[in-house]
Amino acid sequence: MRIAIYPGTFDPLTNGHLDIIERVCKLGISDRLIIAVRENLRKSPLLSLVERLALIYKLTSDFDQVEVDICTGLLVEYARSKYASMIIRGLRNGMDFNYEMEMAVINQSLAPDIETLFIPSKAENIYVSSSAVKEITKLGGSAGSMAPAAVIEYLKTKL
Ligand code: PNS
């Protein structure tokens, strides 16, 4: 059984995240893909972990191999507890690359048996971020090209 973890803050899930999930499923590199929703010590979230999990659960129900979970503590320890051999991360630009490369190398030193796989973003999602979705929605704009309608509707009730 090949198990992959796609970790992130997902505050909220965007079209960029959904695209990565869809493409990993199509690649056929894993039997189970666990979307691991977590706090990020560098960010203060708008949505609770449970709200984020519920939105992801609703929007990924068509993917048979996808599961959604809340994860705490060291990522590699969580991955080990799930018997995962892969960590998936999306890359939009050089800034992502620098940050992700650092995390991947640290995770590699902590758990050499777990590989980080980078998936390049689609061109249309290069400027998509959870922060932009929240800011545009808060200021009354339309972020419909950046996130699923269910996410935007939910955000409107929160903002
Ligand atoms: O969606 P994000 O905010 O870019 O996700 C970042 C996240 C949550 C994947 C990252 O902060 C993370 O992996 N945190 C886990 C903490 C950890 O294991 N740290 C050690 C390696 S630096």
Side-chain angles (χ1 to χ4, degrees), residues 7-10 38 40 43 73-75 89 99 103 106-107:
T9 312
F10 302 110
R38 44 178 311 131
N40 182 334
K43 300 174 184 171
L74 263 187
L75 180 59
R89 293 288 290 168
Y99 171 65
M103 273 202 316
I106 294 171
N107 285 335

